[in-house]
Amino acid sequence: YIQVSSVRRPISSTMDKPTGQLWASPVTTCSRRVIAACAEAGIDFKFVPIHLPKVEHKLPDFVAMNPYGKVPAWRDGEGYDLYESRAIMRHVATGTPLIPATAKARAIMEQWISVDCEYFKPAVMPILYMKVIKKAPLDEAKCAASRAELEPTLDKMEAALLASGFDYLACETYTLADLTFACYFELFEPAGLMDALDARPALAAWWARCR
């Protein structure tokens, strides 16, 4: 088992730490989202690497855990399986400061996680596929179109940080809302997107804190 502990945000001592096995590939943002959540929550887990070029995510044993045949997949220490990265990250973060204590902050956190899923990810992933993961042939016109689709969400993130005065998206502390976006922002430099932060100083400062 790999033991990863978080010094700045230790898991609540009043709850048992979840344990389990994580099947994932760090190549994917969804896998990194769960790996980061496990690390920040300070839980003990066994990491099982999945080799995507070998199509290991389509093997019968893996599909038995995730019927969609995609990474990541989680088998909890209590014996049940979970798939979908956002569900897994919420599970492993239960009882930690990654999930805010107040109803308002939790709702804002969930709002930003939904923004990621519905607006941010569909806009940024084509760029990452072409320029970072090299999963698709480079088409600068398509990259420009995706960048134009991404810009309004970046503007909304900037405006929200300025309006709230918080250091982070949901509240004054780092939560799953920040973590889920960080998995994309860490690829902004190789994707040629760092200049998007130049005109958004609050967002640039947020990313510096997260990084």
Side-chain angles (χ1 to χ4, degrees), residues 157 161 166-170 174 177-183 185 197 200-211:
M157 295 174 76
L161 288 164
F166 294 145
D167 284 344
Y168 299 100
L169 289 171
Y174 182 91
D178 307 289
L179 184 151
T180 196
F181 281 102
C183 295
F185 275 77
L197 303 182
R200 300 176 176 94
L203 191 60
W206 165 86
W207 172 233
R209 286 188 289 272
C210 290
R211 190 174 189 183

Side-chain angles (χ1 to χ4, degrees), residues 20-76:
Q21 296 184 68
L22 175 64
W23 286 260
S25 168
V27 171
T28 74
T29 53
C30 289
S31 290
R32 287 200 300 276
R33 178 181 294 113
V34 176
I35 294 168
C38 289
E40 291 288 348
I43 70 167
D44 296 343
F45 67 102
K46 181 180 179 181
F47 178 72
V48 184
I50 292 294
H51 197 291
L52 298 180
K54 292 183 179 179
V55 203
E56 291 178 350
H57 53 304
K58 302 298 183 183
L59 295 176
D61 286 349
F62 185 86
V63 174
M65 294 183 293
N66 185 339
Y68 290 98
K70 295 182 178 181
V71 289
W74 172 268
R75 177 159 290 165
D76 198 73

Side-chain angles (χ1 to χ4, degrees), residues 8 11 16 18 20 22 24 26 65 67 79-80 86 92 112 123 127 129 137 150 161 169 171 175 181 199 210:
R8 58 181 175 169
I11 197 165
D16 292 334
L22 175 64
M65 294 183 293
Y80 61 88
R86 293 167 185 83
V92 300
W112 283 113
I127 302 172
Y129 281 150
L150 178 65
L161 288 164
L169 289 171
C171 55
T175 72
F181 281 102
C210 290

Side-chain angles (χ1 to χ4, degrees), residues 93-104:
T94 298
T96 78
L98 290 168
I99 298 177
T102 70
K104 178 181 178 182

